[in-house]
Amino acid sequence: MSLSGWSGTPPSVKSLLRKDRTALNVATATRALLPPLVAVCARRRLVVLVLALLIAAASLFAAYRYLGVTTDTDKLFAANLPWKQKGAALARAFPGEEDLIVAVVDAAIPEQADETAAALAAKLRSDTRHFISVQQPDANPYLRRNALLLIDKTQLESLLNRTIDAQPFLGQLVADPSLRGLFGALSLVVEGEERGQGLEGVGPALSGFETALTRAAAGDPRPLSWQELLAGPLAAQAGKYRFVLAKPHLDYGALEPGGDATAALRAMAATLPDVVAGSAHVRLTGSVVLDDEEFATVAQGAVAGLVGSFVLVMVWLYLAVRSWRLMIPIMATLVLGLVVTTGFAAISIGTLNLISVAFAVLFVGIAVDFSIQFSVRLRERRHTYPDLIEALRETGRRAGAQILVAAMATACGFLAFTPTAFVGVAQLGVIAGFGMLAAFFCTLTFLPAMLCLFHPRQEPAPVGFAFARRLDPVVVERRWPIAIGFLVLAAAGAAMATTIQFDGDPLHTKNQKSEAIRVLHDLMQDPVTNPYTIEALMPSLGAAEEAAKKYAALPLTQSVLTLMSFVPEQQTEKLALLADANSILAPTLAPPAEDPPITAAALRKAAASFAAKAVPLAAKLGADDPMRGIGAAALRLSTAPDAALLAANAALTRYLPAQLDELRVALAAKPVTIADVPDDIKRDWLLPDGRARVQVLPKAGVSNGRALRNFVKSALRAVPQSAGSAVEILKSADTITHAFQTAAYCAVIAIAVILSLALRRALDVVLVMTPLLCSALLTALCLRLVGMSLNFANIIALPLLLGVGVSFNIYFVMNWRAGMHRPLGSATARAVVFSALTTGTAFGSLALSAHPGTASMGELLLMSLFCTVVTTLVLVPALLALMPRPHVPLGGV
């Protein structure tokens, strides 16, 4: 079609013109409303102050009445996420593992750990004021009774053969379970050595006897582990830790809901004999302790950060405005905005989480920018306008629209989180997004009223950085090298951004020096106690067994547990082995009618008798043969005081009778079926409706990074119902990554729309967005160079960068359009620099937090702020120098 076919202006052009006129009308109307609003608030300052006080009082009441904080990390994600639903289903089905204090007991020997754990559990059960229930899962009588049936058949054969070989040695100990009997048993070893027929099965234990007897002879008798001596390597399979699981009464009105119960447990543990003696240790971990420590650390950091921010902000304010008559109104405006935002948080959210609780520090750091911009620009107007109200009106005309655009852009950076499944940051986005708009409203209403009340003096000289005016020609002259240099750095940042690691493990954002985290790190070293497990809730026990087979076939699986794991396999063969061994050992292990009396004289005689045999033999043995040390120790004990001999006897044989009893019971095992498994074990694995639980333990080293991701992915492919801590770590990381991608896209689109309405020129929108993108890529470059990884706490800095960074660029571009020729020497640059310093102060207070997640958030925010300021003060002036000056006037300068 020829152009002559068009009647007037083409429709597409008409549409564009209508959109441009609409944007122009919106911008014009906004600029027309703001100056009168500022002037009215200045004139009616007392009315504004009274209204502000009423709003602040209402906000404080709402905060007092409705505001709370939860340390439950499960609340950080949307409940409708599939992986959250699977985890919630498991938690509902097996609530016994929720809200626990886990006491982890370790000791010099396993028996001491068992004894200490049992004593602690007994004390806790008697304290019904603090504890609902107490479990000692590794001390179940069923497990002790069937201990030999539950081990591998090959291991059982080896253990039984070694025990049978040591039958003569055991016979002496059973007949006389004392130090006298031990010397009698060791005499059999000496006699065998002399005949060249050493007792099989005793050799590996001789080193343990040597160490124990040598210490006893030196006056330091310590309990001997008969479990390790008799079971050998199998004793280590149970691990070095024993567990007591306490479900406490939680006081959700307290700063630390489980604090009283934790303190009571610590007090009880401190009175246990082996703990007092230093031979056993009780350390605490578990969800209750972790949450209490987490909140205490975060709350302490938040309060200290807020106080520190206010102090340092006042210093920067003085340097920016040079007058207490300006400082006090700015601080009052900041406090009012923070109080109003807190009230809004109480009404709209109610309960803050571990991330949204940081809104106060972020508000202080970002919202103060608006007041500084307004006040510095007022100082500039006061140089020209002697009348304060007229100067305020002119400041509203010149700076009001800019602050509005900056507030809306910053709010978009926060509100972009709201459509995401990362509820923790979505809440922060809602609160902080409202806070930016509240800060704008306070700046244009309450601040003028306060300024009129304090009446700052007229400025005698222009406001700005005099020294920076000399830099403007330098930037103009070198605009191309500057632009190219930033382009190169941005390209490097884009390349580096793809290699930045994301750490989705919430444990890494906790205080690594806390006891609960140190205990978890210790548990991770052992596959038996590794907390990075996978679990699945299956419709039946048969389905659970099928899932267990699939899990067991995975290369990173260490072991798989179901209810059937507590029913021994190969029972026929194992029972036959036990029956044969018992027929041989039963007469030997039969306890005597009564224990022979023990006296110091009898012990001394036994030591001397043994030494008379062992010392001559030891001279013929190698220097490192344990019998040399055993003989020397016996010789010293033969001359030891009575008290030393009795103490040595008590220590060395303390756990011998109990271990002999356990051996007798285990050898007499009977066939067991699933019906024999006690209810307290069954209810952890099987529900009344038939649904069953499967648990997968990973191999050592599967705790983070690629190994954990491969472990979870392979498990999900094999069994789609997989849940548990390992799945939650991986899926939460994926959810967070997707949330921030969504937030970034939403923020960019929303900011672009706002800029299009405000600036009305595509070129000007590009001038604002290009430095913004550049600062983001520079942040990625710095992040990679310093080796910092992203986590679910600090990743908030990235979309936030869009909101904060665009504000500074807006001020420069809008003032440039209004005729500003020397941006670096202008009042705008002064306001930007001191706004950055105040914002950096708030972020710096976060970086000093004792909580690693909060500290990493502050560090990344500081890094992104630095890149933003450098880009704004260097790249933006260079880009503006490359552009033809626009002819559309827009309020600024």
Side-chain angles (χ1 to χ4, degrees), residues 159-206:
L159 174 62
L160 293 178
N161 289 335
R162 189 153 33 90
T163 304
I164 292 172
D165 288 340
Q167 182 182 11
F169 191 91
L170 288 175
Q172 287 287 335
L173 294 174
V174 171
D176 186 1
S178 68
L179 183 60
R180 178 179 55 200
L182 175 59
F183 281 131
L186 290 171
S187 295
L188 296 178
V189 178
V190 172
E191 292 171 4
E193 290 287 348
E194 289 176 341
R195 295 193 302 268
Q197 300 174 349
L199 289 180
E200 295 292 333
V202 178
L206 291 179

Side-chain angles (χ1 to χ4, degrees), residues 52-136:
L53 288 175
L54 291 175
I55 293 173
S59 299
L60 288 173
F61 175 78
Y64 173 77
R65 187 71 179 270
Y66 303 112
L67 193 63
V69 179
T70 179
T71 58
D72 188 353
T73 54
D74 287 339
K75 302 292 179 64
L76 293 178
F77 299 94
N80 61 355
L81 290 168
W83 61 271
K84 284 290 294 178
Q85 291 177 333
K86 288 187 289 185
L90 265 170
R92 288 192 302 270
F94 301 99
E97 297 191 1
E98 299 294 312
D99 296 331
L100 293 178
I101 298 176
V102 180
V104 180
V105 182
D106 66 275
I109 59 175
E111 290 93 332
Q112 280 182 314
D114 290 330
E115 187 176 65
T116 301
L120 178 61
K123 283 181 174 287
L124 295 179
R125 290 189 184 101
S126 67
D127 185 2
T128 56
R129 175 171 169 263
H130 290 108
F131 302 100
I132 300 171
S133 63
V134 179
Q135 300 177 58
Q136 194 183 351

